[in-house]
Each structure stands twice: as C-alpha cells, then as structure tokens.
Amino acid sequence: MKILFYPASGEVDISGTAGEYHALAALIVAGSGGHAAEPDATDDFGGTALSGLQVSTAAHRMVLISIDDARGVLQISGASAPLALLASNVEAMAADQGGGHLHIDYFPDHPYLAPTSVSLIVNSPHGGMPTR
C-alpha cells in the first residue's frame, strides 16, 4: 500500500490492491494494529511518503485521522461504531469495479469523522476515473 501526505493541502492519499484494502478494513474494525506502507513511494506533486499507519480505539470518540510527524505514520483512532463505518467505506472502495476514488472529508454532522481529521483519499484498486 502506498500512503502519501500532501502538507500543502493537508490531504492523505492511499493507493493499494483490493486485498490490501480488505486487510485495512479488518484492521480498522479490530481497532488496533498497524500496517507498513511502501517505503519508497513517490509522486510528482509534492507528496511525502508515510511509513505506515496505526489504528487505535478511543472510547466514545468519532474517527480522528491524523499524521504523527515524528514517526511519519498515519494514525486512525476512534470508537468501535465510527471505525466500523470508515471500514465499510474502505471495503466498498475495494469492491467497486468501476474505478475512481473516495474522498473522506469532514463536514458538519459527519456520521463518523472528527472535525480535526485530515482529509483522506482512497484510490480504487480498479483504476482512475469511474468507467460508468
């Protein structure tokens, strides 16, 4: 899995296979654990490769997606129910054969995301823009 952070926009961009997304969703549902990312991930748009991600449970809290700058790791934390909603979105992206990407951005009354979360883009393992 490739995890890139774009400091200028504050967005994190994830690319992976369907299998990696299923494993990520399982990790999110479990509420704990980590996953290593491609160590040499690069791009031409100013992205900084993160070394992996860490998931943790935080009781009675919406999902917080943040960057641990000191470790270069994407952190995802939250209560079980909100984490399950995020995981279902990751699973849906893995299963959607149409391609495209999913933006996970906070907006008022978001069903599972905390207001201070960084924006997350999950790219389809089936290609760029939707084919339908």
Side-chain angles (χ1 to χ4, degrees), residues 4-104:
L4 295 171
F5 174 56
Y6 295 88
S9 65
E11 294 178 319
V12 173
D13 187 277
I14 296 178
S15 297
T17 66
E20 288 172 324
Y21 285 162
H22 292 302
L24 174 58
L27 190 67
I28 293 169
V29 167
S32 66
H35 180 82
E38 287 181 26
D40 59 348
T42 59
D43 78 344
D44 295 331
F45 303 104
T48 301
L50 298 179
S51 62
L53 62 88
Q54 185 69 42
V55 178
S56 61
T57 302
H60 308 294
R61 193 164 96 182
M62 301 298 272
V63 173
L64 176 63
I65 302 170
S66 61
I67 306 297
D68 180 338
D69 289 324
R71 297 184 315 149
V73 172
L74 177 65
Q75 293 185 190
I76 301 172
S77 63
S80 296
L83 284 172
L85 291 172
L86 172 60
S88 69
N89 281 331
V90 172
E91 284 282 355
M93 201 69 224
D96 186 352
Q97 297 289 320
H101 58 273
L102 171 67
H103 284 263
I104 301 172

Coordinates of all heavy atoms in Angstrom, one line a residue, residues 4-104:
L4 N 0.6 8.6 0.9 CA 1.3 9.8 0.7 C 0.6 11.0 1.4 O -0.7 11.0 1.4 CB 1.3 10.2 -0.8 CG 2.2 9.2 -1.7 CD1 2.0 9.6 -3.2 CD2 3.6 9.3 -1.4
F5 N 1.3 11.8 2.0 CA 0.8 13.0 2.7 C 1.2 14.2 1.9 O 2.3 14.4 1.6 CB 1.3 13.1 4.1 CG 0.9 14.3 4.9 CD1 -0.5 14.7 5.0 CD2 1.8 15.2 5.4 CE1 -0.8 15.9 5.6 CE2 1.5 16.3 6.1 CZ 0.1 16.7 6.2
Y6 N 0.2 15.1 1.7 CA 0.4 16.4 1.0 C 0.3 17.5 1.9 O -0.8 18.0 2.2 CB -0.5 16.5 -0.2 CG -0.3 15.5 -1.3 CD1 -1.0 14.2 -1.2 CD2 0.5 15.7 -2.3 CE1 -0.7 13.2 -2.1 CE2 0.8 14.7 -3.3 CZ 0.1 13.5 -3.1 OH 0.4 12.5 -4.1
P7 N 1.4 18.0 2.5 CA 1.4 19.1 3.5 C 0.7 20.3 3.0 O 0.0 21.0 3.8 CB 2.8 19.3 3.8 CG 3.6 18.1 3.4 CD 2.8 17.6 2.3
A8 N 0.8 20.7 1.8 CA 0.2 21.9 1.2 C -1.3 21.9 1.3 O -1.9 22.9 1.6 CB 0.7 22.2 -0.2
S9 N -1.9 20.7 1.1 CA -3.4 20.6 1.1 C -3.9 20.0 2.4 O -5.1 20.0 2.7 CB -3.9 19.9 -0.1 OG -3.4 18.5 0.0
G10 N -3.0 19.3 3.1 CA -3.4 18.6 4.3 C -4.1 17.3 4.0 O -4.8 16.7 4.9
E11 N -3.9 16.8 2.8 CA -4.6 15.5 2.4 C -3.7 14.3 2.5 O -2.5 14.5 2.3 CB -5.2 15.6 1.0 CG -6.2 16.7 0.9 CD -6.7 16.8 -0.6 OE1 -5.9 16.8 -1.5 OE2 -7.9 16.9 -0.8
V12 N -4.2 13.2 2.7 CA -3.5 11.9 2.7 C -4.2 11.1 1.5 O -5.4 11.0 1.4 CB -3.6 11.1 4.0 CG1 -3.0 9.7 3.8 CG2 -3.0 11.9 5.1
D13 N -3.3 10.5 0.7 CA -3.7 9.8 -0.5 C -3.2 8.3 -0.3 O -2.1 8.1 -0.1 CB -3.1 10.4 -1.7 CG -3.6 9.8 -3.0 OD1 -3.1 8.8 -3.4 OD2 -4.5 10.4 -3.6
I14 N -4.2 7.4 -0.4 CA -3.9 6.0 -0.2 C -4.1 5.2 -1.5 O -5.2 5.4 -2.1 CB -4.7 5.3 0.9 CG1 -4.3 5.9 2.3 CG2 -4.5 3.8 1.0 CD1 -5.1 5.4 3.4
S15 N -3.2 4.4 -1.9 CA -3.4 3.5 -3.1 C -3.0 2.1 -2.7 O -2.0 1.9 -2.0 CB -2.5 4.0 -4.3 OG -2.8 5.3 -4.7
G16 N -3.8 1.2 -3.1 CA -3.5 -0.2 -2.8 C -4.3 -1.2 -3.6 O -5.1 -0.8 -4.4
T17 N -4.1 -2.5 -3.4 CA -4.8 -3.5 -4.0 C -6.1 -3.8 -3.3 O -6.3 -3.3 -2.1 CB -4.0 -4.8 -4.1 OG1 -3.9 -5.3 -2.7 CG2 -2.7 -4.6 -4.8
A18 N -7.0 -4.5 -3.9 CA -8.3 -4.8 -3.2 C -7.9 -5.6 -1.9 O -8.5 -5.4 -0.9 CB -9.2 -5.6 -4.1
G19 N -7.0 -6.5 -2.0 CA -6.6 -7.3 -0.9 C -6.0 -6.5 0.3 O -6.3 -6.7 1.4
E20 N -5.2 -5.5 -0.1 CA -4.7 -4.6 0.9 C -5.8 -3.7 1.6 O -5.8 -3.5 2.8 CB -3.7 -3.6 0.3 CG -2.4 -4.3 0.0 CD -1.4 -3.5 -0.8 OE1 -1.8 -2.7 -1.7 OE2 -0.2 -3.6 -0.6
Y21 N -6.8 -3.3 0.8 CA -8.0 -2.6 1.3 C -8.8 -3.5 2.2 O -9.3 -3.0 3.3 CB -8.8 -2.0 0.2 CG -8.2 -0.8 -0.4 CD1 -8.6 -0.3 -1.7 CD2 -7.2 -0.1 0.2 CE1 -8.1 0.8 -2.3 CE2 -6.6 1.0 -0.5 CZ -7.1 1.5 -1.7 OH -6.5 2.6 -2.3
H22 N -9.0 -4.7 1.9 CA -9.7 -5.6 2.8 C -9.0 -5.8 4.1 O -9.6 -5.8 5.2 CB -10.0 -7.0 2.1 CG -10.9 -7.0 1.0 ND1 -12.2 -6.5 1.1 CD2 -10.7 -7.3 -0.3 CE1 -12.8 -6.6 -0.1 NE2 -11.9 -7.1 -1.0
A23 N -7.7 -6.0 4.0 CA -6.8 -6.1 5.2 C -6.9 -4.8 6.1 O -7.0 -4.8 7.3 CB -5.4 -6.4 4.9
L24 N -6.9 -3.6 5.4 CA -7.0 -2.4 6.1 C -8.4 -2.2 6.8 O -8.4 -1.8 8.0 CB -6.8 -1.2 5.1 CG -7.0 0.2 5.7 CD1 -6.1 0.5 6.9 CD2 -6.8 1.2 4.6
A25 N -9.4 -2.6 6.1 CA -10.8 -2.6 6.7 C -10.8 -3.5 7.9 O -11.4 -3.1 9.0 CB -11.8 -2.9 5.7
A26 N -10.2 -4.6 7.9 CA -10.2 -5.6 9.0 C -9.5 -5.0 10.2 O -9.9 -5.1 11.3 CB -9.6 -6.9 8.6
L27 N -8.4 -4.3 9.9 CA -7.5 -3.6 10.9 C -8.3 -2.5 11.6 O -8.3 -2.4 12.8 CB -6.3 -3.1 10.3 CG -5.2 -2.6 11.1 CD1 -4.5 -3.7 11.9 CD2 -4.1 -1.9 10.3
I28 N -9.1 -1.8 10.8 CA -9.9 -0.7 11.3 C -11.0 -1.2 12.2 O -11.2 -0.7 13.3 CB -10.4 0.2 10.2 CG1 -9.3 1.0 9.5 CG2 -11.4 1.2 10.7 CD1 -9.7 1.6 8.2
V29 N -11.7 -2.3 11.8 CA -12.7 -2.9 12.6 C -12.2 -3.4 13.9 O -12.8 -3.3 14.9 CB -13.5 -3.9 11.8 CG1 -14.3 -4.8 12.7 CG2 -14.3 -3.3 10.7
A30 N -11.0 -4.0 13.8 CA -10.4 -4.6 15.0 C -10.0 -3.4 16.0 O -10.0 -3.7 17.2 CB -9.1 -5.3 14.7
G31 N -9.8 -2.2 15.5 CA -9.5 -1.1 16.4 C -8.1 -1.1 16.9 O -7.8 -0.2 17.8
S32 N -7.2 -1.9 16.4 CA -5.8 -1.8 16.9 C -4.9 -2.5 15.9 O -5.3 -3.4 15.1 CB -5.6 -2.5 18.2 OG -5.9 -3.9 18.2
G33 N -3.7 -2.1 15.8 CA -2.7 -2.7 14.9 C -2.1 -1.7 14.0 O -2.5 -0.5 14.0
G34 N -1.2 -2.2 13.1 CA -0.5 -1.3 12.2 C -0.3 -2.0 10.9 O -0.5 -3.2 10.7
H35 N 0.1 -1.2 9.9 CA 0.3 -1.7 8.6 C 1.5 -0.9 8.0 O 1.5 0.3 8.0 CB -0.9 -1.6 7.7 CG -0.7 -2.1 6.3 ND1 -0.8 -3.4 6.0 CD2 -0.4 -1.4 5.2 CE1 -0.6 -3.6 4.7 NE2 -0.3 -2.4 4.2
A36 N 2.5 -1.6 7.5 CA 3.6 -0.9 6.8 C 3.2 -0.4 5.4 O 2.5 -1.1 4.7 CB 4.8 -1.8 6.8
A37 N 3.8 0.7 5.0 CA 3.5 1.2 3.6 C 4.7 1.0 2.8 O 5.8 0.7 3.3 CB 3.1 2.7 3.7
E38 N 4.6 1.2 1.5 CA 5.7 1.2 0.6 C 6.7 2.2 1.0 O 6.4 3.4 1.1 CB 5.3 1.5 -0.9 CG 4.5 0.4 -1.5 CD 4.2 0.8 -3.0 OE1 4.9 1.6 -3.6 OE2 3.1 0.3 -3.4
P39 N 8.0 1.8 1.4 CA 8.9 2.8 1.9 C 9.4 3.8 0.9 O 9.8 4.9 1.3 CB 10.1 1.9 2.4 CG 10.0 0.6 1.6 CD 8.5 0.5 1.3
D40 N 9.4 3.5 -0.4 CA 9.9 4.4 -1.4 C 8.8 5.0 -2.3 O 9.1 5.3 -3.4 CB 11.0 3.7 -2.2 CG 10.4 2.4 -2.9 OD1 9.3 2.0 -2.6 OD2 11.1 1.9 -3.8
A41 N 7.6 5.1 -1.7 CA 6.5 5.7 -2.5 C 6.9 7.2 -2.8 O 7.3 7.9 -2.0 CB 5.2 5.6 -1.7
T42 N 6.7 7.5 -4.1 CA 7.0 8.9 -4.5 C 5.9 9.3 -5.5 O 5.1 8.5 -6.0 CB 8.3 9.0 -5.2 OG1 8.3 8.2 -6.4 CG2 9.5 8.7 -4.3
D43 N 5.9 10.6 -5.8 CA 5.0 11.2 -6.8 C 5.6 12.5 -7.3 O 6.6 13.0 -6.8 CB 3.6 11.3 -6.3 CG 3.3 12.5 -5.4 OD1 4.3 13.1 -4.9 OD2 2.2 12.9 -5.3
D44 N 5.0 13.1 -8.3 CA 5.5 14.3 -8.8 C 4.7 15.6 -8.3 O 4.9 16.6 -8.9 CB 5.3 14.3 -10.4 CG 6.2 13.2 -11.0 OD1 7.3 12.9 -10.4 OD2 5.8 12.7 -12.1
F45 N 3.9 15.4 -7.3 CA 3.1 16.5 -6.8 C 3.3 17.0 -5.4 O 2.5 17.6 -4.8 CB 1.6 16.1 -6.9 CG 1.2 15.7 -8.3 CD1 1.1 14.3 -8.7 CD2 1.1 16.6 -9.4 CE1 0.7 13.9 -9.9 CE2 0.7 16.2 -10.6 CZ 0.6 14.9 -10.9
G46 N 4.5 16.7 -4.9 CA 4.9 17.1 -3.5 C 4.4 16.3 -2.4 O 4.5 16.7 -1.2
G47 N 4.0 15.0 -2.7 CA 3.6 14.1 -1.6 C 4.8 13.6 -0.8 O 5.9 13.4 -1.4
T48 N 4.6 13.4 0.5 CA 5.6 12.8 1.3 C 5.2 11.4 1.7 O 4.1 11.2 2.2 CB 5.8 13.6 2.6 OG1 6.1 15.0 2.3 CG2 6.8 13.0 3.6
A49 N 6.0 10.4 1.4 CA 5.7 9.0 1.7 C 5.6 8.8 3.2 O 6.5 9.2 3.9 CB 6.7 8.1 1.1
L50 N 4.5 8.2 3.7 CA 4.5 7.8 5.1 C 4.9 6.4 5.2 O 4.7 5.6 4.3 CB 3.0 8.0 5.6 CG 2.5 9.5 5.6 CD1 1.1 9.5 6.1 CD2 3.4 10.4 6.4
S51 N 5.4 6.0 6.4 CA 6.0 4.7 6.6 C 4.9 3.6 6.9 O 5.2 2.4 6.8 CB 7.1 4.7 7.6 OG 6.5 5.0 8.9
G52 N 3.7 4.1 7.2 CA 2.7 3.1 7.5 C 1.5 3.8 8.2 O 1.4 5.0 8.2
L53 N 0.7 3.0 8.8 CA -0.5 3.5 9.5 C -0.7 2.7 10.8 O -0.3 1.6 10.9 CB -1.7 3.5 8.7 CG -2.3 2.2 8.2 CD1 -3.3 1.6 9.2 CD2 -3.1 2.5 6.9
Q54 N -1.3 3.4 11.8 CA -1.5 2.8 13.1 C -3.0 3.0 13.4 O -3.5 4.2 13.3 CB -0.6 3.4 14.2 CG -0.7 2.8 15.5 CD -0.2 1.4 15.5 OE1 0.8 1.1 15.0 NE2 -0.9 0.5 16.2
V55 N -3.7 2.0 13.9 CA -5.1 2.1 14.3 C -5.2 1.9 15.8 O -4.6 1.0 16.3 CB -6.0 1.1 13.5 CG1 -7.5 1.2 14.0 CG2 -5.9 1.3 12.0
S56 N -6.0 2.7 16.4 CA -6.3 2.5 17.9 C -7.7 2.9 18.2 O -8.4 3.6 17.5 CB -5.3 3.3 18.7 OG -5.5 4.7 18.4
T57 N -8.2 2.3 19.3 CA -9.5 2.6 19.8 C -9.5 3.7 20.8 O -8.6 3.8 21.6 CB -10.1 1.3 20.4 OG1 -10.1 0.3 19.4 CG2 -11.6 1.5 20.9
A58 N -10.5 4.6 20.7 CA -10.6 5.7 21.6 C -12.1 5.7 22.0 O -12.9 6.1 21.2 CB -10.2 7.0 21.0
A59 N -12.4 5.4 23.2 CA -13.8 5.2 23.6 C -14.6 6.5 23.4 O -14.1 7.6 23.7 CB -13.8 4.8 25.1
H60 N -15.8 6.4 23.0 CA -16.8 7.5 22.9 C -16.2 8.6 22.0 O -16.5 9.8 22.3 CB -17.2 8.0 24.2 CG -17.6 7.0 25.2 ND1 -18.8 6.3 25.0 CD2 -17.1 6.5 26.3 CE1 -18.9 5.4 25.9 NE2 -17.9 5.5 26.8
R61 N -15.5 8.3 20.9 CA -15.0 9.3 20.1 C -15.2 9.0 18.6 O -15.1 7.9 18.2 CB -13.5 9.5 20.4 CG -12.9 10.8 19.8 CD -11.6 11.1 20.4 NE -10.6 10.5 19.5 CZ -9.3 10.6 19.7 NH1 -8.9 11.1 20.8 NH2 -8.4 10.2 18.8
M62 N -15.4 10.1 17.8 CA -15.5 9.9 16.4 C -14.2 9.6 15.9 O -13.2 9.7 16.6 CB -16.0 11.3 15.8 CG -17.4 11.7 16.3 SD -18.7 10.6 15.9 CE -19.2 11.2 14.3
V63 N -14.1 9.2 14.6 CA -12.8 8.8 14.0 C -11.9 10.1 13.8 O -12.4 11.0 13.2 CB -13.0 8.1 12.7 CG1 -11.7 7.8 11.9 CG2 -13.8 6.8 12.9
L64 N -10.7 10.0 14.3 CA -9.7 11.0 14.1 C -8.6 10.5 13.2 O -8.0 9.5 13.5 CB -9.2 11.5 15.4 CG -8.0 12.5 15.3 CD1 -8.6 13.8 14.7 CD2 -7.4 12.8 16.7
I65 N -8.5 11.1 12.0 CA -7.4 10.7 11.1 C -6.3 11.8 11.2 O -6.7 13.0 11.0 CB -7.9 10.6 9.7 CG1 -9.0 9.5 9.6 CG2 -6.8 10.2 8.7 CD1 -9.8 9.5 8.3
S66 N -5.1 11.4 11.6 CA -4.1 12.4 11.8 C -2.7 11.9 11.4 O -2.6 10.7 11.1 CB -4.0 12.8 13.3 OG -3.8 11.7 14.1
I67 N -1.7 12.8 11.3 CA -0.4 12.4 11.0 C 0.5 12.5 12.2 O 0.5 13.6 12.9 CB 0.2 13.3 9.9 CG1 -0.7 13.4 8.7 CG2 1.6 12.9 9.5 CD1 -0.9 12.1 7.9
D68 N 1.2 11.5 12.5 CA 2.3 11.5 13.6 C 3.6 11.9 12.8 O 4.2 11.1 12.2 CB 2.4 10.2 14.2 CG 3.5 10.2 15.3 OD1 4.4 11.1 15.3 OD2 3.4 9.3 16.2
D69 N 3.9 13.2 12.8 CA 5.0 13.8 12.1 C 6.3 13.1 12.5 O 7.2 12.9 11.7 CB 5.1 15.3 12.2 CG 4.0 16.0 11.4 OD1 3.6 15.5 10.4 OD2 3.5 17.0 11.9
A70 N 6.5 12.9 13.8 CA 7.7 12.4 14.4 C 8.0 11.0 13.8 O 9.2 10.7 13.6 CB 7.7 12.4 15.9
R71 N 7.0 10.2 13.6 CA 7.2 8.8 13.2 C 6.9 8.7 11.7 O 7.1 7.6 11.1 CB 6.3 7.8 14.0 CG 6.7 7.8 15.4 CD 5.9 6.7 16.2 NE 4.5 6.8 15.9 CZ 3.7 5.7 15.9 NH1 4.2 4.5 16.2 NH2 2.4 5.8 15.6
G72 N 6.2 9.7 11.1 CA 5.8 9.6 9.7 C 4.8 8.5 9.4 O 4.8 7.8 8.5
V73 N 3.8 8.5 10.3 CA 2.8 7.5 10.3 C 1.4 8.1 10.3 O 1.1 9.1 11.0 CB 2.9 6.6 11.6 CG1 1.7 5.6 11.7 CG2 4.2 5.8 11.6
L74 N 0.5 7.5 9.5 CA -0.9 7.9 9.5 C -1.6 7.2 10.7 O -1.5 6.0 10.9 CB -1.6 7.5 8.2 CG -3.1 7.7 8.1 CD1 -3.4 9.2 8.0 CD2 -3.6 7.0 6.8
Q75 N -2.3 8.0 11.5 CA -3.0 7.5 12.7 C -4.5 7.6 12.5 O -5.0 8.6 12.0 CB -2.6 8.2 13.9 CG -1.2 8.1 14.3 CD -0.8 8.8 15.6 OE1 0.3 8.8 16.0 NE2 -1.8 9.2 16.4
I76 N -5.2 6.5 12.8 CA -6.6 6.4 12.7 C -7.1 5.9 14.1 O -6.7 4.8 14.5 CB -7.1 5.4 11.6 CG1 -6.6 5.9 10.3 CG2 -8.6 5.3 11.6 CD1 -6.8 4.9 9.2
S77 N -7.9 6.7 14.8 CA -8.4 6.3 16.1 C -9.9 6.7 16.2 O -10.3 7.6 15.6 CB -7.6 7.0 17.2 OG -7.7 8.4 17.2
G78 N -10.6 6.0 17.1 CA -12.0 6.3 17.3 C -12.7 5.1 18.0 O -12.1 4.1 18.3
A79 N -13.9 5.3 18.3 CA -14.7 4.3 19.0 C -15.1 3.3 17.9 O -15.0 3.5 16.7 CB -16.0 4.9 19.6
S80 N -15.5 2.1 18.4 CA -15.8 1.0 17.5 C -16.8 1.2 16.5 O -16.6 0.9 15.3 CB -16.3 -0.2 18.4 OG -15.3 -0.6 19.2
A81 N -18.0 1.8 16.8 CA -19.0 2.1 15.8 C -18.6 3.0 14.7 O -18.8 2.7 13.5 CB -20.3 2.6 16.5
P82 N -18.0 4.2 15.0 CA -17.5 5.0 13.9 C -16.4 4.4 13.1 O -16.3 4.6 11.9 CB -17.0 6.3 14.6 CG -17.7 6.3 16.0 CD -17.9 4.9 16.3
L83 N -15.5 3.6 13.7 CA -14.4 2.9 13.0 C -15.1 1.9 12.0 O -14.6 1.8 10.9 CB -13.5 2.2 13.9 CG -12.5 3.1 14.7 CD1 -11.7 2.2 15.7 CD2 -11.5 3.7 13.7
A84 N -16.1 1.3 12.4 CA -16.8 0.3 11.5 C -17.4 1.0 10.3 O -17.4 0.4 9.2 CB -17.9 -0.4 12.3
L85 N -17.9 2.2 10.4 CA -18.4 3.0 9.3 C -17.3 3.3 8.3 O -17.4 3.2 7.1 CB -19.1 4.2 9.7 CG -20.4 4.0 10.5 CD1 -20.9 5.3 11.0 CD2 -21.5 3.4 9.6
L86 N -16.1 3.7 8.8 CA -15.0 4.0 8.0 C -14.5 2.7 7.3 O -14.3 2.7 6.1 CB -13.8 4.6 8.8 CG -12.5 4.7 8.1 CD1 -12.6 5.7 6.9 CD2 -11.4 5.2 9.0
A87 N -14.5 1.6 8.0 CA -14.1 0.4 7.4 C -15.0 -0.1 6.3 O -14.5 -0.6 5.2 CB -14.0 -0.7 8.5
S88 N -16.3 0.2 6.4 CA -17.2 -0.2 5.4 C -17.0 0.6 4.1 O -17.2 0.1 3.0 CB -18.7 -0.1 5.9 OG -19.0 1.3 6.1
N89 N -16.6 1.9 4.3 CA -16.3 2.7 3.1 C -15.0 2.2 2.4 O -15.0 2.2 1.2 CB -16.1 4.2 3.5 CG -17.4 4.9 3.7 OD1 -18.4 4.6 3.1 ND2 -17.4 5.9 4.6
V90 N -14.0 1.8 3.2 CA -12.8 1.2 2.6 C -13.1 -0.1 1.8 O -12.7 -0.3 0.7 CB -11.7 1.0 3.6 CG1 -10.5 0.2 3.1 CG2 -11.3 2.3 4.2
E91 N -14.0 -1.0 2.5 CA -14.4 -2.2 1.8 C -15.2 -1.9 0.5 O -15.0 -2.6 -0.5 CB -15.3 -3.0 2.8 CG -14.6 -3.7 3.9 CD -14.0 -5.0 3.4 OE1 -14.1 -5.4 2.3 OE2 -13.3 -5.6 4.2
A92 N -16.0 -0.9 0.5 CA -16.8 -0.6 -0.7 C -15.9 -0.1 -1.8 O -16.1 -0.5 -3.0 CB -17.8 0.5 -0.4
M93 N -14.8 0.6 -1.5 CA -13.9 1.0 -2.5 C -13.1 -0.2 -3.1 O -12.9 -0.2 -4.3 CB -12.9 2.0 -1.9 CG -12.2 2.9 -2.9 SD -13.4 4.1 -3.6 CE -13.0 3.9 -5.3
A94 N -12.8 -1.1 -2.2 CA -12.1 -2.3 -2.7 C -13.0 -3.2 -3.6 O -12.5 -3.8 -4.6 CB -11.7 -3.2 -1.5
A95 N -14.3 -3.2 -3.4 CA -15.2 -4.0 -4.2 C -15.7 -3.3 -5.4 O -16.1 -4.0 -6.4 CB -16.4 -4.4 -3.3
D96 N -15.7 -2.0 -5.5 CA -16.3 -1.3 -6.6 C -15.4 -1.5 -7.8 O -14.3 -0.9 -7.9 CB -16.5 0.2 -6.3 CG -17.2 1.0 -7.4 OD1 -17.4 0.4 -8.4 OD2 -17.5 2.1 -7.1
Q97 N -15.9 -2.2 -8.8 CA -15.2 -2.5 -10.0 C -15.1 -1.3 -11.0 O -14.4 -1.3 -12.0 CB -15.8 -3.7 -10.8 CG -15.8 -5.0 -10.0 CD -14.4 -5.5 -9.9 OE1 -13.6 -5.5 -10.8 NE2 -14.1 -6.1 -8.7
G98 N -15.8 -0.2 -10.7 CA -15.9 0.9 -11.6 C -14.8 1.9 -11.6 O -14.6 2.7 -12.4
G99 N -13.9 1.7 -10.6 CA -12.7 2.7 -10.5 C -13.1 3.9 -9.8 O -14.2 4.1 -9.2
G100 N -12.2 4.9 -9.8 CA -12.4 6.2 -9.2 C -11.7 6.3 -7.9 O -10.7 5.6 -7.6
H101 N -12.2 7.1 -7.0 CA -11.6 7.3 -5.7 C -12.7 7.9 -4.8 O -13.7 8.4 -5.2 CB -10.4 8.3 -5.8 CG -10.7 9.6 -6.3 ND1 -10.7 9.9 -7.7 CD2 -11.1 10.8 -5.8 CE1 -11.0 11.2 -7.9 NE2 -11.3 11.7 -6.7
L102 N -12.4 7.8 -3.5 CA -13.3 8.2 -2.4 C -12.6 9.3 -1.6 O -11.5 9.1 -1.1 CB -13.7 7.0 -1.6 CG -14.5 7.3 -0.3 CD1 -15.9 7.7 -0.6 CD2 -14.5 6.0 0.6
H103 N -13.3 10.4 -1.5 CA -12.8 11.5 -0.6 C -13.5 11.3 0.8 O -14.8 11.3 0.8 CB -13.2 12.9 -1.2 CG -12.3 13.3 -2.3 ND1 -11.2 14.1 -2.1 CD2 -12.3 12.9 -3.6 CE1 -10.6 14.3 -3.2 NE2 -11.2 13.6 -4.2
I104 N -12.7 11.2 1.8 CA -13.3 11.2 3.2 C -12.9 12.5 3.9 O -11.7 12.7 4.3 CB -12.8 9.9 3.9 CG1 -13.2 8.7 3.2 CG2 -13.3 10.0 5.4 CD1 -12.6 7.4 3.7

